[in-house]
Amino acid sequence: MSSRALRRLAPLWLAALCAGFAQAQEPAPREQERVVQLTVTSVVNHSVYLDHGRDVGLQVGTIVRLFPPGAPYVEAEVRSVSQTSARAEVAPVVTPPPVGTRGEASVAATAAPARTQQTPVQPVVEHPPWTRREDPRHPDQPLLVPTFSQRPDERPATFDGRMFASGQWSQDRGADRSSDYWLMRLGMHGDATNYLGGGERFRFAGEFDDRRAVLQNEPDEDDQDFRVDLASVAFGTEAWAPTGVELGRFFSSHLPEIGLVDGVEVVRRFEGGLRLGAGFGAYPLPFPQRGTGDDIGAHVFADFVADDKRSYAFMVGFQKTWHEGAPDRDLLLLRGECRPLDQLSLLGSARVDFYTGSDNRKSNAVELTELMLQTRWDAPDWGAGLLFSHFRWPDLKRGEYAFLPDSIVRDGEVDRLSLNGSWRATRDVSLRARMDFWSDQSDDGTSYGLDGDWRGVIGDGSYLALSVFQADGGATSGPGWSLFLRDSLGDAAWRVGYRWYRYDLDDLVTGTETYKRQSVEVGMSWPISANGDFDVSAEHWFGNGEDAISIGFYFQWRL
């Protein structure tokens, strides 16, 4: 790191540290909810995997705010959740944040027991004799079976799902352009369990998309796609079941780094937290059509979790793929985490590629393709984290990698060092600071930001969020800020927001050029009975050479 970069970093590190380590003035959180800190541990297409789940109160439908480096925050909705992890999805038009991105979510607060005056000790009442007895055990019964568990044929069938529809119309009239765009989506997501009486789980997610574009001096475009994102059945899903099998189209819950799989996976669970598994299948491309068949492969893994709190855990996996019958990828996957204290967490993950003579764009036989190391301290009223990440482009025959420029595959790399801090100044006011230093094969830069939110600013249900940031992307750089206000209106809620950016474009033949971009957004959402929600929004982008409007709606019905 150059001395010039260090001088630029010094005041930013100081500001972030001050925000992260300041002491709280009023430690009591709001009684109705609390804010939990999260970290993105893996990214697959538009799905992000988080390092917490039901252990901190996340539920399906929870909205998570993610703070990617050098950019305004994005929102993701939790789609599935386990005891210690969760999968959330960002909107298709949003770029997923990188691994290691910090996030937060508001969850229902666990009420603390009220302090009362000491009362006299009451005499212990003798309990009548127990009448329930443990059922007889069999030699082939799993060791971890609960003592009084219900067999699947004694449990009712359950279904949890939702249907949704959304639409967006955009019109671009900037710089003598005249274009109109439409996007309509209709989809369904559902989990059905125990319908066959064996504790099995059926999962489906799919949608139909209709895209249309009316372009100036160009032929109109019209594209319809129906895609299936998930379609699988899993047996042995209970934690105590000795063997689990999932087949169909699914994301591996143990090895999500490999992406979507059309195939089968088997996991064997052992007493003490050890799980061994293997699977094989085809790998659909991360495009709307979900094309599959060109890439097939197999994977194996060993996964260990010490306890429900994941005091420490690790995973070792290996994936071998073939593209159109030719050997393609040999990938070692590593992941580990440790929580020596309730407030302290250490996370790490890595991908190591092994290359052979058929990979002619890589000179090294073994290469560290991705690395993420993070440590966080999360106290009730403040927190701080440090993250380092490294990325290189792999040499693959697979569709989305095959046409990368040779120079990027041979020499391209991105290193990033990030520091972030959070502080709950009062029960209603929170502050967050973040700073990133990045470097690639040809440039380096810094980005930083300061976020704040004020709950109850104009009423009990109101929320004010302010974000100020400076981004340096190498070729483009500049400051920006945004302000959003939300409040309730009966059973409904309204929102209004404003964004402002300035971009300085460097390395142009004509020299540096500066552009400004602004937007105004309004929206409203309200419930439809106990199962449905409807949201409508409008946005106007304007600035140098830009004049565009967008109107959209979103409707969902929980099944």
Side-chain angles (χ1 to χ4, degrees):
M1 188 182 301
S2 66
S3 59
R4 175 177 60 87
L6 286 172
R7 288 194 300 269
R8 288 159 48 188
L9 286 175
L12 304 179
W13 278 82
L14 181 59
L17 282 170
C18 290
F21 290 94
Q23 295 297 319
Q25 297 176 359
E26 296 183 27
R30 294 179 64 86
E31 297 179 354
Q32 297 84 0
E33 62 183 25
R34 62 189 178 97
V35 177
V36 296
Q37 302 295 322
L38 306 164
T39 299
V40 175
T41 58
S42 182
V43 179
V44 181
N45 298 336
H46 281 80
S47 294
V48 294
Y49 288 81
L50 307 170
D51 63 336
H52 285 288
R54 286 192 294 269
D55 57 336
V56 297
L58 293 184
Q59 300 177 355
V60 173
T62 300
I63 300 299
V64 178
R65 299 205 314 167
L66 303 172
F67 305 98
Y73 75 87
V74 298
E75 291 187 345
E77 183 178 354
V78 174
R79 298 296 194 206
S80 59
V81 61
S82 66
Q83 177 63 23
T84 55
S85 65
R87 182 177 69 87
E89 292 183 2
V90 299
V93 296
V94 175
T95 301
V99 170
T101 297
R102 191 181 63 83
E104 64 179 30
S106 297
V107 299
T110 302
R115 296 181 179 179
T116 58
Q117 296 181 351
Q118 186 175 2
T119 57
V121 177
Q122 300 295 327
V124 177
V125 179
E126 183 178 356
H127 194 282
W130 294 103
T131 58
R132 187 173 184 178
R133 294 290 184 266
E134 180 182 354
D135 295 332
R137 287 183 172 268
H138 304 284
D140 59 347
Q141 195 171 22
L143 293 175
L144 301 183
V145 63
T147 305
F148 297 118
S149 66
Q150 285 185 311
R151 297 192 308 270
D153 57 1
E154 297 175 334
R155 302 198 303 262
T158 62
F159 181 81
D160 179 31
R162 67 185 186 96
M163 297 181 63
F164 70 89
S166 67
Q168 185 178 38
W169 168 75
S170 302
Q171 184 182 76
D172 184 3
R173 294 291 183 266
D176 298 326
R177 297 185 299 270
S178 179
S179 304
D180 293 88
Y181 304 89
W182 286 267
L183 172 61
M184 301 293 295
R185 302 172 60 215
L186 179 65
M188 177 182 175
H189 184 289
D191 288 354
T193 60
N194 207 37
Y195 272 73
L196 301 180
E200 75 293 331
R201 182 202 66 213
F202 294 92
R203 175 169 289 171
F204 175 83
E207 67 178 65
F208 173 78
D209 298 340
D210 185 356
R211 296 176 173 86
R212 301 173 186 267
V214 179
L215 308 175
Q216 185 179 21
N217 302 324
E218 296 287 343
D220 296 345
E221 297 180 2
D222 188 352
D223 184 30
Q224 290 83 34
D225 294 304
F226 174 76
R227 74 170 191 253
V228 176
D229 294 324
L230 297 170
S232 68
V233 57
F235 300 92
T237 57
E238 290 88 351
W240 50 265
T243 303
V245 180
E246 186 165 11
L247 66 156
R249 173 168 289 184
F250 59 91
F251 289 108
S252 169
S253 58
H254 307 283
L255 210 63
E257 293 90 343
I258 65 176
L260 203 59
V261 180
D262 285 347
V264 61
E265 181 181 77
V266 179
V267 58
R268 180 71 177 181
R269 302 180 180 93
F270 297 89
E271 187 176 12
L274 177 64
R275 292 170 291 191
L276 301 178
F280 68 89
Y283 303 107
L285 291 170
F287 304 134
Q289 294 81 6
R290 292 287 192 263
T292 186
D294 289 344
D295 300 280
I296 62 173
H299 65 273
V300 296
F301 63 87
D303 185 15
F304 175 78
V305 179
D307 49 43
D308 289 342
K309 294 182 178 181
R310 300 182 75 89
S311 300
Y312 58 94
F314 67 84
M315 185 281 304
V316 178
F318 185 80
Q319 181 191 33
K320 172 68 178 180
T321 69
W322 291 263
H323 178 76
E324 296 181 345
D328 193 13
R329 191 169 201 180
D330 298 278
L331 178 65
L332 175 68
L333 298 125
L334 304 169
R335 187 189 333 121
E337 56 188 282
C338 177
R339 293 178 172 85
L341 302 173
D342 290 341
Q343 300 88 348
L344 179 63
S345 62
L346 307 172
L347 302 175
S349 64
R351 300 189 189 197
V352 180
D353 275 282
F354 298 85
Y355 295 110
T356 62
S358 62
D359 304 300
N360 53 21
R361 295 190 290 181
K362 291 288 187 180
S363 58
N364 297 328
V366 180
E367 183 176 75
L368 179 62
T369 307
E370 294 185 40
L371 175 68
M372 187 275 288
L373 300 172
Q374 176 176 272
T375 179
R376 280 203 58 82
W377 181 275
D378 291 303
D381 302 300
W382 63 271
L386 183 66
L387 166 74
F388 173 77
S389 65
H390 168 80
F391 175 82
R392 292 185 63 92
W393 280 265
D395 185 9
L396 299 181
K397 302 178 180 67
R398 183 172 163 87
E400 70 265 37
Y401 295 96
F403 300 104
L404 288 173
D406 289 347
S407 60
I408 289 292
V409 176
R410 289 194 181 102
D411 304 319
E413 63 178 358
V414 179
D415 293 316
R416 187 181 300 274
L417 182 66
S418 303
L419 175 69
N420 59 77
S422 61
W423 173 38
R424 181 177 289 275
T426 71
R427 70 173 188 176
D428 296 320
V429 177
S430 298
L431 299 175
R432 294 170 299 276
R434 61 187 187 276
M435 188 282 301
D436 300 273
F437 172 80
W438 63 268
S439 65
D440 59 20
Q441 66 278 4
S442 59
D443 206 348
D444 64 72
T446 58
S447 61
Y448 52 91
L450 180 64
D451 304 320
D453 55 70
W454 183 1
R455 300 173 184 270
V457 59
I458 59 175
D460 290 340
S462 62
Y463 179 88
L464 178 67
L466 172 66
S467 178
V468 181
F469 59 90
Q470 167 75 33
D472 184 356
T476 63
S477 61
W481 64 276
S482 64
L483 182 68
F484 283 86
L485 176 64
R486 302 180 182 181
D487 196 9
S488 58
L489 184 64
D491 293 335
W494 59 266
R495 63 187 182 275
V496 61
Y498 172 79
R499 304 177 194 258
W500 180 90
Y501 306 88
R502 192 192 74 202
Y503 295 101
D504 297 324
L505 302 181
D506 301 325
D507 300 329
L508 299 179
V509 176
T510 57
T512 301
E513 297 183 7
T514 300
Y515 295 89
K516 294 180 180 179
R517 191 184 194 198
Q518 304 175 71
S519 74
V520 176
E521 176 186 343
V522 296
M524 194 164 187
S525 61
W526 57 91
I528 302 175
S529 76
N531 297 322
D533 299 284
F534 186 78
D535 183 277
V536 62
S537 62
E539 195 167 0
H540 180 207
W541 288 92
F542 55 97
N544 299 112
E546 186 168 8
D547 182 11
I549 60 174
S550 175
I551 299 175
F553 75 91
Y554 180 83
F555 168 78
Q556 75 169 355
W557 187 267
R558 289 174 288 275
L559 303 174

